[in-house]
Amino acid sequence: MTITLTQPDDWHVHVRDGEMLARVIPYTAAQFGRALIMPNLDPPVSTVQQALEYRKTILSALPEGSSFDPKMSLYLTDDTTETEVKAAAQCEHILGFKLYPADTTTNSSSGVTRVSSMMNVFESMARHGVVLQVHGEVADPHVDIFDRESVFIDQILFPLHQELPDLGLVLEHVTTRQGVDFVKATNHFVAGTITPHHLMYNRNEMFRGGIRPHNYCLPVLKRETHRQSLVAAATSGDPSFFLGTDSAPQTRSSKQSACGCAGIFSAHAAIEFYAEIFAGLECINKLENFASHFGADFYQLEKNPGKITLNNKTKHIPESIGKDQGAEASDDDIIPLMAGQTLSWSLLLDS
Ligand code: DOR
Ligand code: ZN
């Protein structure tokens, strides 16, 4: 069996910089027409000028002949100005600002310390049609880690939406039933991205037979009931939910450590993971809208002109992705999602 789709987009991905960028960008560029590139570098990408420089670096790391189009999200800080919002609104390569509540995840220490102090900036974003991409968790260490998304929605996101109902909001990497309900209950200015790993796994997968650092990400995997809500949302045909992998490469040594980093790398087989999930539920016909149409519509962009074809030939995932192919395993390896396992879908690229 084969299926052909409009070329999809990844509306949430981390591609890093330097040597890591060179290693990972070919995977995203091989599958997706566009992607929204996350700005949590160190130092963060917080101005239009920095984003355009970072975009150039990404373009120069692409394989020859690639037409991949990186779209940028700027890192919102306490110091972001309305002038920067206006400049972002005028730049076709920039799709919004990423709100990291300070100290919630990787490289978020320059994030926003008080969301309520940013109302002028949010009003300006709403006025100029600039979208706020949201890492939806509270940072408060007293809040149970499994509740941090739902508490954020109750305390911060819902009130913000009520105050500025025409501010474009994307609840990134939705992980809970409450997140799904929030997106469903609000207007068409609000959407949510869903990752492959949150669709595939519940929180048991972090502890299957021992602690599994490569399945640790933020927001952390949740209970099975939440996973089921996400699967229902992604396959429902509701245009408010679309593809965002949150592929976040980390080295083996940074994850296999006494204090391992959050992040799951899925770019090597991103569309195949989603195909596997949708096909398993006998709704592969819902994949194209989720992967290739709804995100473009939300961001008011044309759909990609190209097509991709998937067939149900098996795809074997390597145990690790090294700096140099064929080299010995090393601390710098990336351990990919479903390392050593086999998928029942493979991507064939149409010309
Ligand atoms: O697991 C994650 N990894 N979640 C994030 O929010 C950030 C990301 C990263 O940059 O590694
Ligand atoms: Zn992310």
Side-chain angles (χ1 to χ4, degrees):
M1 180 180 168
T2 67
I3 64 155
T4 298
L5 311 176
T6 300
Q7 187 171 32
D9 300 303
D10 182 351
W11 296 114
H12 184 131
V13 67
H14 300 262
V15 297
R16 316 300 191 203
D17 57 3
E19 181 268 327
M20 187 61 108
L21 168 66
R23 279 164 79 186
V24 301
I25 194 69
Y27 293 103
T28 293
Q31 300 209 332
F32 296 104
R34 296 164 292 206
L36 186 61
I37 309 294
M38 289 298 122
N40 60 333
L41 304 186
D42 184 15
V45 180
S46 56
T47 66
V48 171
Q49 198 194 335
Q50 287 166 347
L52 291 178
E53 279 163 25
Y54 182 31
R55 185 171 184 275
K56 262 197 206 151
T57 309
I58 295 168
L59 291 176
S60 62
L62 288 174
E64 240 182 82
S66 172
S67 56
F68 175 73
D69 178 9
K71 299 289 188 191
M72 312 306 287
S73 174
L74 300 188
Y75 192 116
L76 194 72
T77 73
D78 289 345
D79 301 324
T80 300
T81 61
E82 292 174 51
T83 314
E84 204 65 48
V85 171
K86 223 171 145 184
Q90 284 161 1
C91 179
E92 59 171 327
H93 302 304
I94 295 173
L95 294 188
F97 283 80
K98 176 75 186 275
L99 166 60
Y100 288 105
D103 301 323
T104 43
T105 188
T106 311
N107 290 339
S108 63
S109 57
S110 317
V112 170
T113 51
R114 272 191 36 218
V115 171
S116 57
S117 316
M118 303 294 293
M119 286 314 285
N120 289 349
V121 170
F122 296 145
E123 276 162 21
S124 172
M125 290 177 65
R127 239 188 348 268
H128 291 100
V130 175
V131 172
L132 185 65
Q133 289 102 15
V134 181
H135 183 105
E137 290 189 288
V138 289
D140 183 349
H142 301 296
V143 176
D144 189 285
I145 191 165
F146 294 102
D147 297 334
R148 287 182 194 170
E149 183 172 289
S150 59
V151 170
F152 182 87
I153 291 167
D154 285 349
Q155 294 184 349
I156 294 168
L157 203 55
F158 194 65
L160 175 61
H161 174 67
Q162 280 188 315
E163 186 134 355
L164 289 175
D166 52 1
L167 171 64
L169 285 179
V170 181
L171 178 59
E172 299 292 339
H173 38 57
V174 184
T175 66
T176 57
R177 178 179 55 73
Q178 290 88 342
V180 168
D181 289 348
F182 168 75
V183 172
K184 286 202 323 207
T186 45
N187 63 20
H188 68 279
F189 286 97
V190 177
T193 55
I194 305 184
T195 76
H197 43 281
H198 290 104
L199 289 173
M200 285 160 60
Y201 299 139
N202 65 39
R203 62 192 191 178
N204 288 346
E205 198 56 28
M206 284 184 295
F207 306 106
R208 186 168 44 80
I211 191 149
R212 293 189 176 257
H214 299 291
N215 293 333
Y216 171 59
C217 62
L218 287 169
V220 71
L221 297 170
K222 303 294 193 305
R223 280 183 183 279
E224 176 61 11
T225 48
H226 295 294
R227 189 191 71 81
Q228 287 173 7
S229 294
L230 298 175
V231 168
T235 58
S236 65
D238 180 337
S240 308
F241 296 98
F242 47 82
L243 185 157
T245 61
D246 199 18
S247 178
Q250 305 278 5
T251 59
R252 179 205 300 268
S253 55
S254 68
K255 290 191 69 71
Q256 292 178 200
S257 135
C259 186
C261 297
I264 293 181
F265 182 71
S266 59
H268 57 293
I271 195 67
E272 291 97 331
F273 290 127
Y274 289 104
E276 190 97 358
I277 296 154
F278 280 62
L281 294 160
E282 295 181 6
C283 58
I284 193 92
N285 61 327
K286 297 278 176 73
L287 181 62
E288 184 174 37
N289 273 334
F290 175 80
S292 317
H293 294 170
F294 291 160
D297 291 345
F298 179 83
Y299 282 113
Q300 300 182 328
L301 298 169
E302 295 292 313
K303 285 154 190 120
N304 289 317
K307 302 272 178 208
I308 61 161
T309 298
L310 290 155
N311 67 5
N312 55 351
K313 249 187 159 168
T314 57
K315 171 162 179 154
H316 183 68
I317 312 276
E319 291 287 353
S320 67
I321 295 178
K323 250 189 195 171
D324 309 304
Q325 276 186 349
E328 294 281 297
S330 87
D331 280 356
D332 284 335
D333 285 353
I334 301 165
I335 309 300
L337 178 60
M338 280 189 73
Q341 298 176 59
T342 299
L343 283 166
S344 41
W345 290 86
S346 302
L347 175 68
L348 302 164
L349 273 180
D350 277 7
S351 49

